[in-house]
Amino acid sequence: MAKGLDVGTMNILSGRQEGAETVFVQQRNSFVEIEYSDMAEQMLSRSEVLHIRKDDKVYVVGDDALNFANIFNKETRRPMQHGILSSEEASAIPMIKLITEQVVGEPSKPNERLFYSSPADPIDSPLTTLYHEKTLESMLGDMGYDPEPINEGMAVIYSELADNNFTGLGISFGAGMTNVCLAYYAVPVMKFSIARGGDWVDEQTAQATGTPVDKVTSIKEDDFELDFRTDVGGVEGALAIYYENLLDYVIENITREVDEEDVEEGLDVPVVVTGGTSSPNGFEDLFADHLADANIPFSISGVRSAEEPMYSVASGALVAARSEEGEEESAGGSEPAAEEAAPESED
């Protein structure tokens, strides 16, 4: 058994294979602080709300955090910011550990193989991902897993482009970052991230409209469409403006980062977009329209969205984990056969 884990700024998701089906488990990567009382903690426990108590505070964690934030008119807090562990949140590591434990569960066997997503270093920010990656590796190892990081953009390629020999451009539009990977027969030709994603869209929209960020997030996740028919003065109109700006920024950086010498002449590849930020209806068409006008040194055969954008990275991490687990089992299975054959050759 092997597992894949998508450690995202907004959500943490795991994927595992059960028979012919892939089972996903998801929790929102956030928490909210409320005042402690015996009654409050009893009600939370009875309602099976994920929470922990620390001194005179109770922290509601995961999916319920956003609901509690809206009820008590508070902002949720995040263990991660800009795609990596937040340096400004003192509770980041214990909170993300609690959420991850709920999502991934206990290993089915000692040192179960687990691939977890890790972003590339952003090209437009001094942030580095090394501390984030190594901290997660240590945390997952302590939980009993044998963890291995996988580039988030490459996970998209594994998940969505098997029918094209793992060749194409995979783009994961996450909350904290956008990850880009161009691969040729499963070999990355280009991979990078930019420090803008769904959070940037929400923050800019909140600032422009005077709306709390969590409220903007709720509106975006509730049937928001990129149809540009909404009033410009409202939250949905502002969301559309900043979504379009984000796409132009991503395409601008792809054009800048592609090295023509590394691209095979006449290369014609599909583009697949995924991640929670790519979920609104109309995203795929809008991105295709803007990409068509870009000066990119390879041809685009088409743009499509992942069938399940939220689960794509976890699914790709699972594909990589199962593939490596299978190779290890095959290698391990060949050794006894060689040992059994040796005595015969000596006789």
Side-chain angles (χ1 to χ4, degrees):
M1 185 68 72
K3 291 177 182 174
L5 182 66
D6 175 11
V7 186
T9 302
M10 180 67 77
N11 294 282
I12 297 180
L13 304 96
S14 70
R16 70 180 188 276
Q17 200 71 25
E18 286 192 2
E21 294 186 356
T22 303
V23 177
F24 296 98
V25 180
Q26 173 184 348
Q27 279 280 359
R28 189 176 290 270
N29 193 6
S30 62
F31 64 98
V32 66
E33 177 186 302
I34 62 175
E35 293 292 333
Y36 169 78
S37 70
D38 289 338
M39 180 62 72
E41 188 168 28
Q42 289 175 18
M43 293 303 295
L44 292 172
S45 297
R46 289 176 185 173
S47 303
E48 298 184 345
V49 173
L50 185 61
H51 69 283
I52 58 174
R53 177 189 170 187
K54 185 178 180 182
D55 300 324
D56 61 343
K57 300 292 184 182
V58 173
Y59 298 93
V60 177
V61 182
D63 290 342
D64 293 306
L66 186 60
N67 295 330
F68 274 78
N70 289 331
I71 291 170
F72 292 102
N73 197 30
K74 291 187 173 185
E75 293 285 345
T76 55
R77 290 158 61 182
R78 300 273 195 84
M80 288 172 56
Q81 187 179 32
H82 304 305
I84 58 176
L85 285 166
S86 174
S87 60
E88 300 175 5
E89 178 52 68
S91 301
I93 293 176
M95 291 300 171
I96 202 169
K97 183 175 186 294
L98 178 64
I99 298 169
T100 302
E101 287 173 342
Q102 293 294 316
V103 168
V104 81
E106 296 182 355
S108 60
K109 63 180 182 180
N111 295 317
E112 179 179 4
R113 205 73 171 112
L114 183 148
F115 273 57
Y116 65 96
S117 67
S118 182
D121 285 338
I123 59 174
D124 58 346
S125 166
L127 294 172
T128 63
T129 63
L130 180 62
Y131 175 76
H132 169 82
E133 184 177 296
K134 291 300 183 182
T135 300
L136 291 178
E137 182 178 26
S138 177
M139 182 185 75
L140 292 165
D142 289 344
M143 291 167 60
Y145 288 97
D146 179 13
E148 179 80 20
I150 179 172
N151 175 265
E152 186 172 324
M154 197 65 216
V156 175
I157 302 290
Y158 279 128
S159 173
E160 306 298 331
L161 291 175
D163 60 350
N164 201 58
N165 297 315
F166 302 110
T167 297
L169 185 66
I171 309 176
S172 175
F173 288 88
M177 286 183 180
T178 298
N179 274 266
V180 179
C181 181
L182 175 65
Y184 188 67
Y185 289 100
V187 177
V189 175
M190 169 191 71
K191 56 183 179 181
F192 67 89
S193 73
I194 60 169
R196 289 188 190 181
D199 283 350
W200 180 84
V201 171
D202 294 355
E203 290 161 3
Q204 297 301 311
T205 298
Q207 185 175 354
T209 61
T211 307
V213 173
D214 281 338
K215 183 64 175 177
V216 171
T217 301
S218 295
I219 292 172
K220 184 180 72 175
E221 294 179 354
D222 186 22
D223 298 326
F224 167 67
E225 295 187 17
L226 281 164
D227 55 14
F228 291 89
R229 290 199 293 264
T230 56
D231 293 334
V232 173
V235 171
E236 292 190 349
L239 280 169
I241 289 171
Y242 287 110
Y243 253 103
E244 191 164 30
N245 185 268
L246 172 64
L247 297 187
D248 284 338
Y249 186 69
V250 170
I251 293 170
E252 174 187 324
N253 280 281
I254 292 173
T255 304
R256 183 182 298 119
E257 289 298 308
V258 173
D259 189 338
E260 294 187 34
E261 295 181 0
D262 293 333
V263 177
E264 181 178 308
E265 186 176 353
L267 183 64
D268 185 40
V269 300
V271 176
V272 60
V273 295
T274 189
T277 301
S278 72
S279 296
N281 289 334
F283 183 96
E284 176 185 340
D285 293 337
L286 181 63
F287 189 63
D289 287 344
H290 284 243
L291 199 57
D293 297 330
N295 185 26
I296 297 176
F298 56 86
S299 300
I300 303 296
S301 61
V303 178
R304 70 175 190 258
S305 293
E307 188 173 339
E308 297 285 353
M310 289 293 295
Y311 304 138
S312 183
V313 172
S315 179
L318 176 61
V319 169
R322 294 188 69 202
S323 175
E324 182 158 316
E325 184 182 56
E327 290 175 1
E328 291 172 353
E329 289 176 353
S330 296
S334 65
E335 292 176 5
E339 291 172 0
E340 291 171 4
E344 295 179 6
S345 63
E346 292 172 356
D347 286 340

